[in-house]
Every structure is written in structure tokens, then in C-alpha cells.
Amino acid sequence: MNIPTDKNGYLLNLEQWTPAVAEQLAKAEDIRLSDAHWEVISVLRAFYQEYSVSPAMRILVKQVGMALGTEKGKSIYLMQLFPPSPAKIVSKIAGLPRPDNCF
Amino acid sequence: MKETPTTATPKKILFVNTKAPYGSSLARDALDALLAASAYEQDLSVLFLGEAVFQLLRNQNPKDIGMKSLAATLPVLPMYDITQIYAQESALSTRGLSIDDLVLPVKVLGADEIAALMGSQGAILSF
Amino acid sequence: MKLSIAVYGAPHSSEASESAYRFASAACSMGHSLIRVFFYHDGVHNASSLAIPPQDETQTTQRWQALALEFNIDLVVCVAAALRRGIVNTEEAERYDLESQNLGKGFEISGLGQLLDAAVSSERLVSFGH
Amino acid sequence: MSLLHTVNKSPFSKDTLLNCLAICQAKHSVLLIEDGVYGALKSSPCREQIEQLSAMGVRFFALSADVSARGIDENLIADVTLASDQDFVNLVVKNNVTQSWY
């Protein structure tokens, strides 16, 4: 499987995203997706489906906290799963557009 | 991204929207600027004047004109801790709109209240 | 007084960037400190080094560059608006595999937060749109 | 609190000036720039409102470079004062905030 991405590893065509593509994108980040990763990815994809925007880090933390419990709604937890910059990395793996304001 | 500045007292900054949602992309750009601004821990508020009240209308489906829905993203504002959301009373009434037609709970303001709101700001970003 | 300006209009299509420039130039000559000009929306076209207006028309990009050099002004171009409209520096050109870069010297590409930062750190902010 | 409004659209085609005037109060200043200067014409659809607000203490200005550019120097409402670029800067400095109407 060879899905085209830009140099930073974001999908060029978001419609090509599938769970298998996510595995590939994660591998490029040296991340092996476990259930813990997947539940965060689901939260993010649901957020994007509803609001059409990739959330900033602190919003992601809040959303994860609301959906998966306060234990997981912590930046340190997300940092362990998706280092080094969870908002960017989860967006990438979840097949969302690159966050607009990451610069 | 540069360090988020921390000031002792947050500055009151008002985002003023005046454009309808899709004819000008300034409407979208104003929303993006507002979301980015929320990271800076200032005292933010947003006002929809004139044509901009159309941004708040429910049931927008701009897929066929190749745009992203503003109505879909606007409800995210409270999550970004932006809760001072205002709309111009006369702009709504002349367009036959009521607050039930809107995707967000807004506070409706008359002319005097708008003048007071603008006058009390430390800065206004006009879109 | 510390001032900042936001420019939302492209040169040669609306008067916004001309008005902004005249305001900026007047403010600087009066001794005010213009700390930042933030180019957003169509305003990012002000930063294009590839625009060649006829010699008897306003050389917008050069004028901003000269003013910024003389009075030490931040010329900041919003990255998101710039990428959408094809204004890129070397770094972005590399990142997206583009053939060339076209960001004028003296301009810098940065995040949208810099607009809010300008509003916070200046005593007055004026917007020029169309 | 003092407030400066700038307006850059002609009232002959847009309601931008009208919307601005609707929320103007004593101590506010209105600066007409770009096509907004057509609002200062004696034939302006907003003339009556400008004269009324002016009597209430709203101050009106038109950017002289834009007025001259359009050849309308001789036909302006008496309540509208011509402003140089320096005057524009001073208006921004003197007023607490500026709302720009496009």
C-alpha cells in the first residue's frame, strides 16, 4: 500500500483514509497503534466530522477528557501516545487536514 | 509558534464580523483568526453585524459551492472558551431572522449596546 | 504611541493596501512606533516578490520593504492565508515541494496568532480591508 | 468612550455607511476613506443622518487624498472636514479604538 502524503506525512487526499492507512501513517511516526491510540483517533475524527476543524491541543485534551474520562484527558497521556506534538500527530494519523495554525 | 504572551490583565478584544458567509472568504478568515486568538488568554468577544448574521444561520450546506460550512464550525466557539457572542438586533429583524434560526446562543444587542460594547474594548479586529 | 496595522486587501485590486501604506508612512514620520503590519486574507499578495507593476505604478512590495527597513517594522504574513494564495518562503517551498519561493525580503511568514499578539501588544490597531 | 469609525464604501451602492451611522453616538468620529468619501457629497443618501449626528456631536471627516483623487472637493457637505494622512493617524491615536467598516 502506498498512499501519497506530503513531506510532513499528511495525506494529500483525505478521502483515501482507512484504518489500514492510519496504521501506515502511524508507522511513519514510529507509532504502533494500540486500542489506546484508536480511541483517541476516534474522538478526533468525531470532532472533525461535527465541527469541520482540527482542534488545537488544549481542545483535544478537553475532548478526550470528556469522551474517555479525566484520566486520559491529560496532555501528558496524549504526549506518551502521540509524541512529540499530539495535536499534529493525531490529526495526521486520523486523516485530518494539517492544522492551519501550526507554525 | 511564538510564546503565548501573558499579561497581568487580559485585554478586551472584539472581533467584528460584517460579511455574509460565502461571498467573501473574510467571514471564514475571521473565524480562523478568532480560534487562533483563543490560545492567548485575552478577554475575547465576537459581534455579528449586518450581513454577518447570515453566518449564524442553520442548515448551511455549502458543499456544492466548494466551501466548508461556517455553521458547522461556529458552534465550536464555546469549547474554545469564547462565550461572549453578540448579534445585532436590527440586522436579524430586517432579515426576518430570530435567535431560533441560529446555530449558536447569541446575545442580541441594540444600537446603543453595540456602541457601548465597541467603546469598552482595548482593540477591535474588523472583518 | 505603539501602533499596529492589519491589511486584508491585495495591491492593484482594491485601495486597501494603498490606504494602509499611507497610514503607516504618516504614522512613522510623525514619530509613532509602528510595531507590526500583519498581512492576512488577500493582503498576503503585498508580500509577493514576483509582482511586476509597470514602472509608473505603485511598487507596493518595495515600498513596504523600504518603510520596514527605515523604521524597523515587523512585516508578518499569515501562513495559512499565504499558502492558500501561493505566497511562500524557502522553508515552505521545500516543505511542499514547490518549484520556487516568492516571499519578498523583509517579510516573514508566521501564524495567525501574531494578529492577536499585535492587538495585545499595541496601543492602537487599525484594519484595512475591502 | 471615544470611538473612531472608518468607512470605505460608497453609500450609493452599499449600506456600509448607513450601518455605521446607525450605531454612532456623540463623541464618536467617522472618517470616510476610499470610496467612502462619496458619502460626504451633498447628494449623499446619508446627508440627512450626517447632519443630524453632526449636530449631536459626532464628528465627520473625509480623507483628502481620496476626495481629491475622485474630483469631488467642491461638492461636500459642510459638516465634513477634510483630513490629511497625518490627521488620520491623530484620529486613531486620540480615539480609544477604531472600527473599520468595509
Side-chain angles (χ1 to χ4, degrees), chain C residues 63-81:
Chain C
R63 248 179 13 170
W64 284 118
Q65 288 166 324
L67 192 71
L69 203 61
E70 186 177 352
F71 295 101
N72 192 27
I73 307 163
D74 271 359
L75 302 177
V76 180
V77 179
C78 166
V79 61

Side-chain angles (χ1 to χ4, degrees), chain A residues 51 56 58 62-63 101 103, chain B residues 1 38 68 73 76 79-80:
Chain A
Y51 299 113
R58 74 204 151 81
K62 224 195 270 185
Q63 288 300 306
N101 201 40
F103 193 85
Chain B
M1 211 185 291
S38 71
K68 283 169 69 173
T73 307
V76 94
M79 255 173 256
Y80 279 70

Side-chain angles (χ1 to χ4, degrees), chain B residues 1-62:
Chain B
M1 211 185 291
K2 287 191 189 165
E3 282 298 302
T4 305
T6 43
T7 43
T9 37
K11 192 164 179 173
K12 286 173 79 78
I13 298 174
L14 176 66
F15 284 64
V16 177
N17 284 286
T18 58
K19 302 287 189 195
Y22 304 107
S24 164
S25 66
L26 201 56
R28 179 84 216 180
D29 285 354
L31 178 55
D32 289 344
L34 184 54
L35 294 180
S38 71
Y40 285 68
E41 293 176 355
Q42 303 295 320
D43 184 0
L44 303 182
S45 47
V46 55
L47 169 63
F48 294 85
L49 289 179
E51 292 288 89
V53 296
F54 282 133
Q55 293 183 31
L56 295 160
L57 207 53
R58 286 183 198 278
N59 299 323
Q60 296 173 35
N61 186 9

Side-chain angles (χ1 to χ4, degrees), chain D residues 21 24-30 46-61 77-81:
Chain D
L21 298 181
C24 266
Q25 297 191 336
K27 286 194 188 163
H28 289 195
S29 295
V30 179
C46 297
R47 177 174 181 171
E48 212 170 294
Q49 286 102 317
I50 289 176
E51 288 173 345
Q52 276 169 9
L53 287 166
S54 185
M56 283 169 45
V58 178
R59 302 179 65 198
F60 286 89
F61 303 88
I77 304 169
D79 292 319
V80 180
T81 308

Side-chain angles (χ1 to χ4, degrees), chain C residues 1 3 6 8 14-17 19-20 22-23 26-27 29-30 32 123-130, chain D residues 6 8-9 33-35 63 65-66 70 85-90 92-98 100 102:
Chain C
M1 187 176 259
L3 309 173
Y8 304 145
S14 80
E15 209 183 321
S17 58
S19 300
R22 291 212 323 274
F23 180 91
S29 70
M30 291 163 77
H32 293 296
E123 290 155 275
R124 298 287 185 271
L125 181 135
V126 190
S127 319
F128 292 87
H130 63 98
Chain D
T6 70
N8 77 346
K9 294 287 182 295
I33 68 170
E34 303 171 12
D35 283 348
L63 204 55
D66 283 317
R70 288 162 177 79
D85 292 342
Q86 283 75 19
D87 295 333
F88 185 177
V89 175
N90 283 332
V92 166
V93 167
K94 271 198 324 216
N95 288 280
N96 299 38
V97 277
T98 301
S100 308
Y102 322 119

Side-chain angles (χ1 to χ4, degrees), chain A residues 41-97:
Chain A
I41 292 171
S42 303
V43 170
L44 187 70
R45 281 186 66 86
F47 182 90
Y48 181 75
Q49 286 237 298
E50 182 160 5
Y51 299 113
S52 304
V53 70
S54 303
M57 179 61 184
R58 74 204 151 81
I59 310 301
L60 177 63
V61 171
K62 224 195 270 185
Q63 288 300 306
V64 169
M66 270 158 51
L68 308 176
T70 44
E71 284 298 291
K72 295 178 176 176
K74 294 199 169 82
S75 38
I76 191 153
Y77 175 75
L78 295 175
M79 200 78 91
Q80 283 161 355
L81 290 177
F82 300 98
S85 168
K88 279 192 218 178
I89 305 294
V90 196
S91 294
K92 194 182 293 186
I93 297 173
L96 270 49

